[in-house]
Amino acid sequence: LRRGHYFITTKNLMNVGHSWSPLQKLVYISVVFFFHFTAFNSIQSLATQIYEQSGYGNLGKVCLFTFNIAFCLGSFASSRIVKKIGNTLGLFLSSLPFLLAYVAGIAMSTCSTFDPKPFFCESQSLIEGFHVFAYLGVGLGSAVLWNAHSGYMSQLAPKNEQGTYFGTFFSIVQVSYIVGSILPSIVFRVASVFTFFILMLILTIIAVGLFYHLPKPIPDMETQEEPLLASKEGHQTVEDTTSGNFVTEIIQILKLTRDEAVQPWLLLMILAGFTQAYNGGFIYRFVEISLTIETEKSIVMSETAKMFIFFGIGMVMSALVIGKAIDRYGTKKIFYAIVTFYAVMLFLSIVQTFIKSYTLACIIGALCRNADVCIGTLLCTIISVDFKGSLDHFALYRAIQVSGTSLGFILLIILQNIEDVNIIFGLTLYFGVTAFVLSEKQKAKSVVESENFTV
C-alpha cells in the first residue's frame, strides 16, 4: 500500500480525533449509535409483523429469539474479545454482522417485489436459514458491541462524571427509538418492504463507516484490559490480565455471581430484563383495552405506534436527568428515587386494567421506558465506579439482563391467557423483593461507612 494507507489494526484504526476533548468524543459515539440503532430499533419493533405479512409465519419471532440467546451467550465471551482487540476495533467489527440482517431482509422482500423471482426464492428454507444465521451474528455482535461501548465510556469519562456521560449518551441514543418508531410508518405509506430494508441497510453502512473513524477514548490506549485503575487525570486506565483460556474467562465471569458485593445487584439486573419484556411484550395491551372492540386493526396499530413515540420521549427525558443526578446525589439516593418511580408505574398499570384509558396507557409507556433507562444508567455507573469499569462485570450485567428479558417473554407467552392484572401483580412481587434486598444492602453499607468514619 502507498504511504498514508493502512490496514485495520488496533494501532492504526484511529488516526483521527486524537486531539478531541472527551465531550466531543462522547457526542461522536452517541451519534454513531443513533444511526446504528435507528435502523435496528425499526427492525426490532416490526420484525414479527413484517415477516407474518410476507408469508413467513413466525420467522420474525424466531429471529428475535435467536438474537437474544446469542446475545446472552456471547456476553460471556465479549469481555475477552474486547480485551484482546480493544474498544475501538471491537465497536467497528461488532457492527458488521448487523449488515447481514438487512441483506437477509432485502433477499426476503425481493421475492415479493420482483418478477421473475430470483433463484433463492424457490427455497423458503434457504431464506429462513439465512435469517437465523444473520440474527445469530447480530446477537453475538451486540454482545461485543455493548461490552466495548461500556469499556470505551469508562475510559472516556472522568471518574466524578461517569453518570453524566452515560446519561448523556443514552439521551442521544434514545432519540433513535423515536425516529425508529416514526420512520417505518412513513416509509410503508409510500414504498415497499424492500425499500424499507434498503434504507435500513444504508443507515447501518453510515454507522459502520463512522465506527471505523471512532477516536480512541484515550489517545495512547490500544486495548482494554482488566482491571481498570484511576489515572492522574481522573480517567480510567488499565493493566494486563488477559492470560488464561476461553473457558477460564467464562468461569471467571460466572464466579462474579458469588461476590457478596455483586449478588444484590443481580436482582436489579434481572429486573432490568423483566422491564424490557414488560415494555416490548405487554404494555401494548393497554392500548388495545383502551380502544373499542369495533376499532379497526390499522387504527390500533397506529395508536400503538404513537405510544412507542411516548416511550422514546420518556427515555430521552430520563436519560438527560438521571446521569447528572447520579453524579450529584450519589447512587443511593437515586436508587430510592427509581424504586419510588417504578412503584408509581406499577400502581398506574393496575389502575389501567380497570379504567382502560388511552391517555393513561401513554403515560405508563413513558414511565416504563423512564424506569428502563434509569435502571440501565444506574447499573452502568455502579459498575464503572464501584467495580472500576470491569469488563467482566459489564459482560455479566448484559448476560443477566438479556436472560431476564428472554425469561420475561417466555413467561408472557405461557401466561398469555391469564388476567392482565395478575401479570402486573407478579412483576410487582418481584420488584418488591428486589427493592427490599437492595434497600437492606444500602442500609448495611451506610452503617459500615459510618463506623469507619467514627474510627
Side-chain angles (χ1 to χ4, degrees), residues 208-220:
V208 170
L210 292 174
F211 271 127
Y212 180 79
H213 292 290
L214 180 69
K216 294 178 183 178
I218 303 175
D220 59 348

Side-chain angles (χ1 to χ4, degrees), residues 43-177:
I43 297 297
Q44 274 192 305
S45 61
L46 293 173
T48 300
Q49 181 180 357
I50 288 175
Y51 289 101
E52 284 181 353
Q53 293 183 354
S54 299
Y56 286 86
N58 291 321
L59 180 58
K61 295 178 182 178
V62 171
C63 288
L64 293 179
F65 179 77
T66 302
F67 162 75
N68 281 299
I69 293 299
F71 194 159
C72 178
L73 297 177
S75 295
F76 292 105
S78 61
S79 62
R80 183 174 183 82
I81 294 173
V82 175
K83 292 173 195 176
K84 288 292 186 182
I85 66 177
N87 294 316
T88 50
L89 184 58
L91 286 164
F92 170 69
L93 295 179
S94 61
S95 67
L96 296 176
F98 286 80
L99 298 173
L100 283 178
Y102 309 124
V103 171
I106 292 171
M108 179 275 298
S109 58
T110 297
C111 297
S112 58
T113 304
F114 297 99
D115 192 19
K117 295 179 174 59
F119 71 93
F120 51 79
C121 296
E122 298 177 2
S123 175
Q124 184 167 323
S125 298
L126 177 63
I127 295 177
E128 291 174 346
F130 184 33
H131 273 83
V132 172
F133 173 76
Y135 278 86
L136 177 65
V138 171
L140 296 175
S142 294
V144 177
L145 182 79
W146 283 108
N147 196 285
H149 157 263
S150 299
Y152 186 95
M153 293 291 291
S154 293
Q155 291 182 2
L156 179 64
K159 186 176 181 180
N160 62 344
E161 295 183 52
Q162 294 282 330
T164 300
Y165 272 61
F166 276 106
T168 302
F169 169 82
F170 284 119
S171 68
I172 296 176
V173 173
Q174 296 313 325
V175 177
S176 69
Y177 193 89

Side-chain angles (χ1 to χ4, degrees), residues 312-387:
I313 293 173
M315 296 169 82
V316 173
M317 295 298 292
S318 62
L320 283 171
V321 175
I322 188 66
K324 195 69 177 178
I326 291 173
D327 289 335
R328 182 172 181 178
Y329 299 107
T331 57
K332 179 181 177 181
K333 291 182 178 179
I334 298 304
F335 166 73
Y336 286 121
I338 292 175
V339 167
T340 303
F341 193 80
Y342 207 99
V344 171
M345 184 271 293
L346 290 173
F347 173 75
L348 293 178
S349 296
I350 295 174
V351 172
Q352 171 66 4
T353 62
F354 295 99
I355 68 173
K356 300 177 175 60
S357 166
Y358 175 74
T359 300
L360 184 58
C362 292
I363 293 174
I364 294 170
L367 289 176
C368 196
R369 278 295 175 179
N370 267 280
D372 183 16
V373 173
C374 288
I375 293 173
T377 305
L378 177 65
L379 285 170
C380 285
T381 304
I382 288 171
I383 295 173
S384 188
V385 176
D386 294 352
F387 298 99

